[in-house]
Amino acid sequence: MTNETANSKAPLSVEELKEKVAAGQIDTVVVAITDSLGRLQGKRCGARSFLEDVLGHGAEGCNYLLSVDVEMNTIDGYAMSSWENGYGDMVLRPDIATLRLVPWLPGTAMVQCDILWLDDRPVSQSPRQILRAQIERLEALGYRAHIGTELEFIMFDDTYEEAWNKKYDGLTPASRYNVDYSLLATARLEPVIRSIRTGMEKAGLVVESSKGECNFGQQEITFRYREALTACDNHAFYKHGAKEIAAQQGKSITFMAKYNEREGSSCHIHFSLTDLDGNPVLPGDGEHGFSPVMEHFLAGQLAAMKEMAYFLAPNINSYKRFVEGSFAPTAIAWGLDNRSCALRVVGHGRGLRVENRVGGGDVNPYLAAASLIAAAIHGIENKLPLEPITTGSAYQSGADRIPTTLRDSRALLAASEIARKSFGDEVVEHYLHAADVELKAYDSAVTDWERKRVFERL
């Protein structure tokens, strides 16, 4: 994982964009940011206006884009965005390294943006800016982070509109039984899955593979790892695009961490380090083939996991995935190629890396990656010793446990010295409030489960 071979050239250069616009091949440029919930938001710009205006100066967007709930309601209590400050604008500054075609939308390109205040200061609460800050901290120590995310999702034969009308109940999964590694059953899903794979390849991502998973209609598509920022940009682009492609073919997909009582959908994150010249720093002559850096790198992630769990499990639903014996982790432990552990060490030599198995399909990739980098820095700076390896089932071990509710994670984050040192109080308080918003919405909801259980019998 430390020998990055993907072409570092942008999928689409500005000159190529100008040529395609002049030839009438591109008429629209999507200007996108990733919001606090991990979603792409933004504007569709006329291609000529993008080249003449937005490319050099950026676009504007209301600062509530980082301070709304999942239903896009404006929420009181955020320091950066309120009626008191007038709900002013932020600048969406295009990062040309992300400029690419959107092959499934005719005449369309997309660029992902940094978010700045009008005086060019980074908006510290922006997920992309949070990750950039941690990358800079890590590189100041002489290391570079490489990330690969593995997203699972469930596909349904219902359209998104049909799913809405059914209140997301009684949907028809795209496969009717466990299709983990099945080539026969997954062939029936290929019209959509192949469209996603080929669409992403044409947009500049390198597809590794797709495969069936355990839940009905569940799939995973994996992509070649990249440097951390690029990997997260690709993750956000892919997740957004997969939904658009499914919708075009009359299907719907969900990245919920736990759609039903069967297996949840994960986002395993593979994480490794090199020095700034690209040389691997994790393999060494120590036990298990580890270097001292690897031991501190791994120890830091273990030490920070509990108090930084919010950034890997940001929603109420995230925590319903943590079921013992389900391939989702519950123990804060590490092991060699051991899928019962939260941290699974895989690969050897240049490919030595850590797979963090905590995140679900609902994770915000920038916040997750930033938390892993911050944890690694904590371990390296403090030369933390590595606790003993877990062999056998971590589910049966005495290791400390991952928080089991959003409320617990929120409390741990609020008290976290590591998070406040790494991200600053402004960022931590923003995401504590986001957790409060989610908790308040959940606590006030009356569910079908309650009505079915209580209506007549109590």
Side-chain angles (χ1 to χ4, degrees):
M1 183 173 170
T2 53
N3 183 19
E4 188 166 312
T5 57
N7 188 349
S8 60
K9 179 179 180 293
L12 187 66
S13 70
V14 172
E15 288 305 312
E16 289 169 330
L17 176 63
K18 290 177 178 178
E19 291 170 4
K20 291 180 181 296
V21 171
Q25 296 171 346
I26 291 181
D27 53 66
T28 302
V29 179
V30 178
V31 176
I33 64 168
T34 302
D35 71 6
S36 297
L37 300 171
R39 307 172 298 186
L40 289 189
Q41 308 282 20
K43 299 180 177 182
R44 286 179 165 83
C45 297
R48 188 172 70 175
S49 175
F50 174 81
L51 288 171
E52 294 177 357
D53 305 318
V54 176
L55 181 60
H57 304 286
E60 290 76 39
C62 182
N63 60 33
Y64 73 51
L65 285 170
L66 296 178
S67 305
V68 292
D69 66 9
V70 71
E71 295 178 316
M72 295 300 292
N73 297 311
T74 54
I75 304 295
D76 291 336
Y78 281 107
M80 66 168 290
S81 177
S82 67
W83 288 118
E84 285 70 28
N85 66 26
Y87 282 118
D89 274 347
M90 307 178 294
V91 176
L92 318 184
R93 181 69 52 80
D95 182 345
I96 297 305
T98 70
L99 184 63
R100 65 181 101 218
L101 294 173
V102 183
W104 54 90
L105 296 178
T108 301
M110 180 185 287
V111 68
Q112 289 161 273
C113 299
D114 290 309
I115 308 179
L116 309 176
W117 293 115
L118 299 181
D119 61 4
D120 280 346
R121 288 180 298 115
V123 175
S124 64
Q125 299 91 338
S126 159
R128 200 168 195 262
Q129 303 345 113
I130 292 169
L131 177 56
R132 276 196 183 276
Q134 297 312 303
I135 290 171
E136 290 173 3
R137 290 182 67 217
L138 183 66
E139 293 190 353
L141 295 177
Y143 303 110
R144 183 160 289 139
H146 304 265
I147 295 286
T149 62
E150 300 176 341
L151 268 173
E152 295 174 346
F153 59 84
I154 297 176
M155 184 189 301
F156 298 94
D157 289 337
D158 311 80
T159 67
Y160 282 108
E161 291 76 17
E162 290 166 344
W164 172 280
N165 292 337
K166 292 180 179 180
K167 302 186 188 310
Y168 304 100
D169 186 35
L171 306 185
T172 303
S175 59
R176 308 299 195 268
Y177 53 86
N178 183 332
V179 297
D180 197 16
Y181 289 97
S182 170
L183 295 177
L184 175 64
T186 54
R188 301 170 198 167
L189 282 65
E190 266 293 275
V192 176
I193 301 302
R194 181 175 180 272
S195 293
I196 295 173
R197 292 197 312 266
T198 57
M200 296 302 150
E201 281 278 355
K202 291 174 183 176
L205 284 70
V206 179
V207 177
E208 291 185 335
S209 65
S210 63
K211 64 177 286 290
E213 292 289 343
C214 298
N215 206 336
F216 304 158
Q218 193 173 44
Q219 294 278 296
E220 177 185 79
I221 304 175
T222 60
F223 300 87
R224 185 175 295 168
Y225 76 95
R226 301 298 304 271
E227 290 184 12
L229 185 64
T230 301
C232 293
D233 290 336
N234 287 350
H235 174 122
F237 178 83
Y238 155 61
K239 186 175 180 180
H240 179 88
K243 292 179 181 180
E244 291 186 337
I245 293 168
Q248 288 176 351
Q249 299 197 33
K251 309 289 185 182
S252 58
I253 61 179
T254 182
F255 290 92
M256 288 180 68
K258 191 76 168 178
Y259 171 73
N260 55 21
E261 287 72 27
R262 290 183 58 87
E263 296 81 6
S265 291
S266 66
C267 177
H268 299 153
I269 302 176
H270 290 251
F271 181 23
S272 70
L273 297 183
T274 63
D275 64 21
L276 300 184
D277 294 321
N279 301 305
V281 297
L282 301 184
D285 299 327
E287 189 177 9
H288 312 299
F290 294 175
S291 69
V293 173
M294 172 60 166
E295 293 184 1
H296 305 322
F297 167 80
L298 188 52
Q301 292 176 71
L302 290 167
M305 185 175 293
K306 197 166 184 175
E307 58 199 83
M308 302 269 259
Y310 170 80
F311 295 113
L312 289 164
N315 302 302
I316 291 286
N317 183 254
S318 308
Y319 295 83
K320 298 186 177 181
R321 184 175 144 265
F322 300 136
V323 177
E324 294 198 352
S326 68
F327 285 94
T330 58
I332 300 175
W334 76 276
L336 295 175
D337 197 15
N338 186 338
R339 285 183 167 86
S340 70
C341 296
L343 299 181
R344 172 181 172 240
V345 177
V346 291
H348 59 276
R350 295 183 65 87
L352 185 65
R353 62 195 185 275
V354 175
E355 178 192 63
N356 184 302
R357 299 176 60 81
V358 177
D362 59 342
V363 77
N364 183 324
Y366 301 90
L367 299 180
S371 71
L372 298 188
I373 293 171
I377 291 171
H378 174 67
I380 292 169
E381 285 187 331
N382 293 285
K383 294 183 168 52
L384 295 184
L386 180 60
E387 64 185 55
I389 187 173
T390 294
T391 58
S393 174
Y395 294 122
Q396 307 302 319
S397 74
D400 204 0
R401 266 24 195 184
I402 296 165
T404 57
T405 68
L406 178 60
R407 187 166 276 105
D408 289 344
S409 279
R410 190 254 182 234
L412 288 161
L413 177 61
S416 173
E417 293 182 5
I418 299 172
R420 292 186 183 276
K421 176 184 177 184
S422 301
F423 303 136
D425 289 338
E426 192 173 48
V427 169
V428 171
E429 293 300 325
H430 183 88
Y431 287 95
L432 289 175
H433 191 61
D436 289 338
V437 170
E438 175 85 349
L439 287 164
K440 182 178 179 181
Y442 180 73
D443 288 344
S444 65
V446 178
T447 65
D448 289 348
W449 180 88
E450 292 168 275
R451 283 190 287 267
K452 290 176 182 177
R453 194 172 181 88
V454 173
F455 186 94
E456 175 181 350
R457 288 175 283 194
L458 292 180

